[in-house]
Amino acid sequence: MRFVVISLLFNVYWFSAALGPPSFQWLMVAMLLGAILYDRSVMWAMAVLTPVGLIGDSLLLHTQWLAVEAEYVVMPLWLLLLWLGFCSFAWLMRDLILARALWFMAALGSFGGASSYWAGERLGVLSFPQSIWVTGAVLIGTWLVYSIVLINLMQWLQHQLDVRSAATRREP
């Protein structure tokens, strides 16, 4: 049930980014605050995981694999918020993600992540300046890398939090 509720909330979050920039950014911020209130370790996940997507998508934008209509310095605010939300969602689903084989989750992430860009393109929030087929291959490859790096960072962060929690319990 937790998986269904969190997944539905993330879809509301994703559609807020895809259909509403910038009018729904307040909803995205409110949902991020809700995720932090639900599980305070989400803040650690945002700090550790989000830079992977921000760096990668900035490169995709600046190398013209992706294009957005809005003016931005590094990337549009809605895309930054989307990465914060995605990393929060992934962190909240970490038990499910980390319990599966890395190759399976990386394959799922590569196609799922790439398809979200395709959906964003269909909704008109971004465009593909290059051929859709070549861009699709680049996005699948990019999300394969994202998935492997994010899963490994999630394992590392979970271990760090477990060690910290155990040390706190041992203190008199």
Side-chain angles (χ1 to χ4, degrees), residues 51-125:
V52 173
L54 297 181
I55 292 166
D57 277 7
S58 291
L59 289 171
L60 290 172
L61 287 164
H62 290 285
T63 56
Q64 302 282 303
W65 287 104
L66 299 176
V68 294
E69 299 220 2
E71 292 294 319
Y72 58 91
V73 175
V74 178
M75 72 174 31
L77 179 60
W78 65 266
L79 191 52
L80 166 67
L81 291 170
L82 189 54
W83 269 106
L84 288 166
F86 172 75
C87 291
S88 299
F89 164 75
W91 184 250
L92 292 172
M93 295 287 100
R94 70 188 176 277
D95 293 338
L96 181 85
I97 293 168
L98 298 177
R100 306 291 185 276
L102 176 63
W103 68 266
F104 175 75
M105 294 309 297
L108 188 64
S110 66
F111 288 98
S115 70
S116 72
Y117 290 74
W118 182 80
E121 192 269 342
R122 294 283 135 207
L123 292 170
V125 74

Side-chain angles (χ1 to χ4, degrees), residues 2-3 5-7 9-10 31-43 45-46 49 84-98 154 158:
R2 179 176 181 259
F3 171 76
V5 170
I6 292 173
S7 295
L9 288 171
F10 179 70
M31 291 178 79
L32 285 173
L33 292 173
I36 292 168
L37 291 173
Y38 178 74
D39 181 346
R40 290 176 93 37
S41 66
V42 163
M43 290 186 299
M46 286 180 188
L49 304 177
L84 288 166
F86 172 75
C87 291
S88 299
F89 164 75
W91 184 250
L92 292 172
M93 295 287 100
R94 70 188 176 277
D95 293 338
L96 181 85
I97 293 168
L98 298 177
M154 288 171 62
Q158 183 64 59

